[in-house]
Structure formats: structure tokens, C-alpha cells
Amino acid sequence: AKAALSVVSYLIISLLLTLHNKMVLQWHQFGFPWLVTAVHSLGGIIGMQLLVASGHFTPTRLDYSQKRLLWIFSALYTVNIAVSNVSLHYVSVPLHQVVRGTVPVFTVLISLAWRTTAGYSWRVYASLAPVVVGVGLATYGDYYSFSVAGFLLTLLGTVLAATKTVVTNSILVGGYRLKLSALDLLYQLCPLALVQTLAWAAVTGELTDAWAFVQALRSSDSADGVYPLATALVANGAIAFVLNVASFTASKNTSALAMTVTGNVKVVLAVVLGCVLFSVRLSWLSTLGCVLTIAGGAAYSAVRLSEAPRVPKSVV
């Protein structure tokens, strides 16, 4: 029950953040994804400091080797986002989503290669098939911007995303002899992620462009000025903090593969909500894809539940 609640909470908050990100990037025309990511990291820093100050959380002291592991993990997190963003410049969004839909497959392969699991049954593999196919159908569209370089970058980003999920799960459950709570991991990662995302924004020119954008807003008479944007960014950072807590908590209470399947179900639900909120009509093929992905996610959950060790009932 605890695992199911944490996964459902993660799914709902993740959907909320996706829709709010769309509002910030499009409605407020703040088209600077790296700085939005930096806002997420800053929200995590502030949120964790509030928890520390209120006595609800006491950070664990780490030695140098443990900190070095976290530095490596934070770099993996940043590179994963970087490759994903760069690949979007070379391929269409539908193709990007189709390739990203294969994350569960790579999660299985990486988990087996790193021996983080003893293996999966054939029923687990069978339940993944409709998930991958469903995401492909739900995001089917024009693949006009296909290129070999873009495809390889998207594939690399998919492998990195699966690797990050497996490593997160291993760190939280102590696979690397680093038994940190979800809040501990968030507390340690947010400052590193903030520095890395700001550095990348500076290198790519986002920082300069964003400053010019804000100055233009201040000098204009538009109703959608600096203060509405600032309010939206503050709310975005707060939602991101709650999502980070929910994400790491879900990773703690469930498996890496369950997290990737949940992510795929979230993609399809985002498509459905996007159609409802923005008056977009789904084709019958996309509708079939949504049904397949949701059915695959349900099938996976049912298989994992049926294969989980059963605790004997106590005799009264």
C-alpha cells in the first residue's frame, strides 16, 4: 500500500509540474528550459533548508568517498537533461517520445548487467511490450526531422535516463553502500544540480538571453510583466520540490523498473490532459496507444504484485 501510494503521488505531481512547465515556457514566454531547471533546483534547496530549520530533517554527514559518488550521480543527472534537450533540436517531439518510451527495456538490460536484480520473469517482459508499443502509437506523428545524429542522441539520452533511474534506486536502497534517505539525497543533490544547470545556461547563452528578456518585460507596458512571471516561477520551484520528494520516495519504496513504467504512463496521461485542456483531438491510433500503455502499466503492476514474496499471516 505504501509503495502504491508513493507511485500514485509521484504520477499526479509529475503531471501537475509538466502542465505548469508548459504554462511558464509558453504562456509566460519564458523559453529558457535550463533556467527553469535551475529554478527547480533552487526550490529544492529552499525547501530542504526549511525542513532543516523546522527540525523535520537532519542531514547525514558524508565522507569524501560518499560525496564523490554524489558528484558523479549529479553529473549523470545533468548530462541526461543536456543530451535530451540537444536531441530535440534534431528530431521531432513524436520521434523523441517514441525512443524515450523504450526506457523500461534499457532499465531491464542495465539492471541485469549491473546485477542489481536477480532477473525478471517472462511475464514482466511481456507486460513491457504494450507499454513500449503504446507510447509509440500515442505519440505517433510526422517524423520529418529525422536524422542519424538526432536519433543517436535521443537513444543516448534514453540510455542515460534508464541508467539514472537504476543508480537512484541503488543509492537509496544501499546498493553502493550509501544508505541515504530520499530527503538526504535531495538535500545533497540540489546545490550540485543548481551549479551545473546555471553553468550550462551560461555556456549556451541562456543566461544572457533571459536577462535581456526580463529587461524587455520591465520596460514594456504588458500586463504579463515581471511580477506574474516571478510568481509563476516561485510556484514552479515549489511544485518541483514536492515532486522531487515524491520521486525519490517512490524510488525508495519501489523498483527502478516500476518508476520507468510509471513515467511512460505519465507520458500518455499528459497527452490526454493536453487534449482536454488545449482542445486537441486524438486520432484513433493515438487513443489506441493510450489504452495500450495504461494497460501495460497495469499489467506490470499486477505481475510484480503477484510475484512479490507473501508475508505469512499470523495465527491468533
Side-chain angles (χ1 to χ4, degrees):
K2 184 177 180 181
L5 179 62
S6 62
V7 170
V8 171
S9 299
Y10 163 73
L11 181 61
I12 294 174
I13 300 170
S14 180
L15 282 170
L16 176 61
L17 183 62
T18 298
L19 296 175
H20 200 269
N21 282 342
K22 184 177 181 65
M23 182 190 75
V24 170
L25 293 171
Q26 293 191 10
W27 293 359
H28 291 277
Q29 298 180 344
F30 192 75
F32 309 104
W34 276 105
L35 290 180
V36 171
T37 305
V39 169
H40 294 175
S41 301
L42 181 60
I45 294 174
I46 296 174
M48 292 309 304
Q49 291 300 326
L50 289 176
L51 290 181
V52 171
S54 61
H56 288 86
F57 170 70
T58 301
T60 302
R61 297 180 63 89
L62 304 178
D63 57 31
Y64 176 75
S65 62
Q66 292 172 322
K67 289 181 178 179
R68 184 175 59 182
L69 176 60
L70 286 177
W71 293 339
I72 296 173
F73 177 71
S74 68
L76 173 63
Y77 171 81
T78 303
V79 170
N80 171 47
I81 297 177
V83 172
S84 178
N85 288 340
V86 171
S87 65
L88 278 172
H89 289 288
Y90 297 96
V91 299
S92 65
V93 173
L95 178 59
H96 188 266
Q97 290 297 312
V98 168
V99 178
R100 298 284 289 192
T102 62
V103 168
V105 177
F106 289 106
T107 301
V108 168
L109 296 177
I110 293 171
S111 297
L112 292 175
W114 287 0
R115 298 181 181 179
T116 59
T117 179
Y120 301 99
S121 69
W122 68 268
R123 295 195 300 166
V124 170
Y125 297 114
S127 69
L128 291 177
V131 173
V132 175
V133 174
V135 170
L137 293 177
T139 57
Y140 177 77
D142 48 350
Y143 302 100
Y144 54 85
S145 59
F146 174 80
S147 70
V148 175
F151 174 77
L152 292 177
L153 281 172
T154 307
L155 190 62
L156 175 60
T158 303
V159 175
L160 289 173
T163 303
K164 180 177 72 70
T165 302
V166 174
V167 172
T168 299
N169 187 259
S170 297
I171 288 176
L172 289 175
V173 300
Y176 288 117
R177 299 179 182 177
L178 183 62
K179 295 184 178 181
L180 291 177
S181 67
L183 293 180
D184 259 317
L185 187 57
L186 185 60
Y187 178 84
Q188 299 290 344
L189 283 180
C190 281
L192 297 173
L194 177 62
V195 172
Q196 292 165 355
T197 50
L198 285 178
W200 185 261
V203 169
T204 58
E206 262 199 22
L207 213 52
T208 303
D209 294 341
W211 178 253
F213 175 78
V214 171
Q215 293 303 312
L217 280 182
R218 293 181 59 185
S219 61
S220 69
D221 296 328
S222 173
D224 190 18
V226 175
Y227 294 112
L229 174 61
T231 302
L233 289 176
V234 169
N236 197 250
I239 297 172
F241 167 67
V242 177
L243 175 61
N244 277 322
V245 174
S247 174
F248 287 125
T249 301
S251 294
K252 177 75 172 182
N253 293 325
T254 187
S255 68
L257 189 57
M259 290 297 293
T260 58
V261 172
T262 302
N264 278 326
V265 174
K266 174 244 177 181
V267 169
V268 174
L269 292 179
V271 171
V272 174
L273 287 177
C275 291
V276 173
L277 295 176
F278 302 102
S279 302
V280 178
R281 296 184 61 183
L282 275 178
S283 67
W284 69 268
L285 200 58
S286 296
T287 303
L288 177 61
C290 293
V291 173
L292 278 176
T293 302
I294 295 174
Y300 167 79
S301 300
V303 170
R304 295 297 283 170
L305 181 62
S306 66
E307 294 181 351
R310 299 185 181 276
V311 179
K313 296 181 179 180
S314 57
V315 179
V316 179

